[in-house]
CSV table of all heavy atoms in Angstrom, one decimal:
chain,number,residue,atom,x,y,z
V,37,TYR,N,-8.6,6.1,-7.0
V,37,TYR,CA,-7.7,5.7,-5.9
V,37,TYR,C,-6.3,6.3,-6.0
V,37,TYR,O,-5.7,6.8,-5.0
V,37,TYR,CB,-7.6,4.2,-5.8
V,37,TYR,CG,-8.9,3.5,-5.3
V,37,TYR,CD1,-9.8,3.1,-6.2
V,37,TYR,CD2,-9.2,3.5,-3.9
V,37,TYR,CE1,-11.1,2.5,-5.8
V,37,TYR,CE2,-10.4,3.0,-3.5
V,37,TYR,CZ,-11.3,2.5,-4.4
V,37,TYR,OH,-12.6,2.0,-4.0
V,38,ARG,N,-5.9,6.4,-7.3
V,38,ARG,CA,-4.6,7.1,-7.5
V,38,ARG,C,-4.6,8.5,-7.1
V,38,ARG,O,-3.7,9.1,-6.6
V,38,ARG,CB,-4.2,6.9,-9.0
V,38,ARG,CG,-3.7,5.5,-9.3
V,38,ARG,CD,-3.4,5.3,-10.8
V,38,ARG,NE,-2.9,4.0,-11.1
V,38,ARG,CZ,-1.6,3.7,-10.9
V,38,ARG,NH1,-0.7,4.5,-10.6
V,38,ARG,NH2,-1.2,2.4,-11.2
V,39,ALA,N,-5.8,9.2,-7.5
V,39,ALA,CA,-5.9,10.6,-7.2
V,39,ALA,C,-5.9,10.9,-5.7
V,39,ALA,O,-5.2,11.8,-5.2
V,39,ALA,CB,-7.2,11.1,-7.8
V,40,VAL,N,-6.5,10.0,-4.9
V,40,VAL,CA,-6.4,10.1,-3.4
V,40,VAL,C,-5.0,9.9,-2.9
V,40,VAL,O,-4.5,10.7,-2.1
V,40,VAL,CB,-7.4,9.1,-2.7
V,40,VAL,CG1,-7.3,9.3,-1.2
V,40,VAL,CG2,-8.9,9.4,-3.2
V,41,ALA,N,-4.4,8.9,-3.5
V,41,ALA,CA,-3.0,8.6,-3.0
V,41,ALA,C,-2.1,9.7,-3.4
V,41,ALA,O,-1.2,10.1,-2.5
V,41,ALA,CB,-2.5,7.3,-3.7
V,42,TRP,N,-2.2,10.3,-4.5
V,42,TRP,CA,-1.4,11.5,-4.9
V,42,TRP,C,-1.7,12.6,-3.9
V,42,TRP,O,-0.7,13.3,-3.5
V,42,TRP,CB,-1.7,11.9,-6.4
V,42,TRP,CG,-1.0,13.2,-6.7
V,42,TRP,CD1,0.3,13.3,-7.1
V,42,TRP,CD2,-1.5,14.5,-6.5
V,42,TRP,NE1,0.7,14.6,-7.2
V,42,TRP,CE2,-0.4,15.4,-6.9
V,42,TRP,CE3,-2.7,15.1,-6.2
V,42,TRP,CZ2,-0.6,16.8,-6.9
V,42,TRP,CZ3,-2.9,16.4,-6.2
V,42,TRP,CH2,-1.8,17.3,-6.5
V,43,SER,N,-2.9,12.9,-3.6
V,43,SER,CA,-3.2,14.0,-2.6
V,43,SER,C,-2.6,13.7,-1.3
V,43,SER,O,-2.2,14.7,-0.6
V,43,SER,CB,-4.7,14.1,-2.5
V,43,SER,OG,-5.3,14.4,-3.7
V,44,VAL,N,-2.6,12.5,-0.8
V,44,VAL,CA,-2.0,12.1,0.5
V,44,VAL,C,-0.5,12.5,0.4
V,44,VAL,O,0.0,13.1,1.3
V,44,VAL,CB,-2.2,10.6,0.7
V,44,VAL,CG1,-1.3,10.1,1.9
V,44,VAL,CG2,-3.7,10.3,1.1
V,45,LEU,N,0.1,12.1,-0.7
V,45,LEU,CA,1.6,12.4,-0.8
V,45,LEU,C,1.8,13.9,-0.9
V,45,LEU,O,2.7,14.4,-0.2
V,45,LEU,CB,2.2,11.6,-2.0
V,45,LEU,CG,2.1,10.1,-2.0
V,45,LEU,CD1,2.7,9.5,-3.3
V,45,LEU,CD2,2.9,9.5,-0.8
V,46,ASP,N,1.0,14.5,-1.7
V,46,ASP,CA,1.2,15.9,-2.0
V,46,ASP,C,0.9,16.8,-0.7
V,46,ASP,O,1.6,17.8,-0.5
V,46,ASP,CB,0.3,16.4,-3.1
V,46,ASP,CG,0.4,17.8,-3.5
V,46,ASP,OD1,1.5,18.1,-4.0
V,46,ASP,OD2,-0.5,18.6,-3.3
V,47,GLY,N,0.0,16.3,0.1
V,47,GLY,CA,-0.4,17.1,1.3
V,47,GLY,C,0.4,16.7,2.5
V,47,GLY,O,0.2,17.2,3.6
V,48,GLY,N,1.4,15.8,2.3
V,48,GLY,CA,2.2,15.4,3.4
V,48,GLY,C,1.4,14.7,4.5
V,48,GLY,O,1.8,14.7,5.7
V,49,VAL,N,0.3,14.1,4.2
V,49,VAL,CA,-0.5,13.3,5.1
V,49,VAL,C,0.1,12.0,5.4
V,49,VAL,O,0.6,11.3,4.4
V,49,VAL,CB,-2.0,13.1,4.6
V,49,VAL,CG1,-2.8,12.3,5.5
V,49,VAL,CG2,-2.6,14.5,4.3
V,50,ASP,N,0.1,11.5,6.6
V,50,ASP,CA,0.7,10.2,6.9
V,50,ASP,C,-0.2,9.1,6.4
V,50,ASP,O,-1.4,9.0,6.9
V,50,ASP,CB,0.9,10.1,8.5
V,50,ASP,CG,1.4,8.7,8.9
V,50,ASP,OD1,1.7,7.9,8.0
V,50,ASP,OD2,1.5,8.5,10.1
V,51,PRO,N,0.2,8.3,5.4
V,51,PRO,CA,-0.7,7.3,4.8
V,51,PRO,C,-1.2,6.3,5.9
V,51,PRO,O,-2.2,5.7,5.7
V,51,PRO,CB,0.2,6.5,3.8
V,51,PRO,CG,1.4,7.4,3.6
V,51,PRO,CD,1.6,8.3,4.8
Side-chain angles (χ1 to χ4, degrees):
Y37 290 94
R38 288 175 175 277
V40 177
W42 174 81
S43 301
V44 165
L45 298 175
D46 183 65
V49 176
D50 176 1

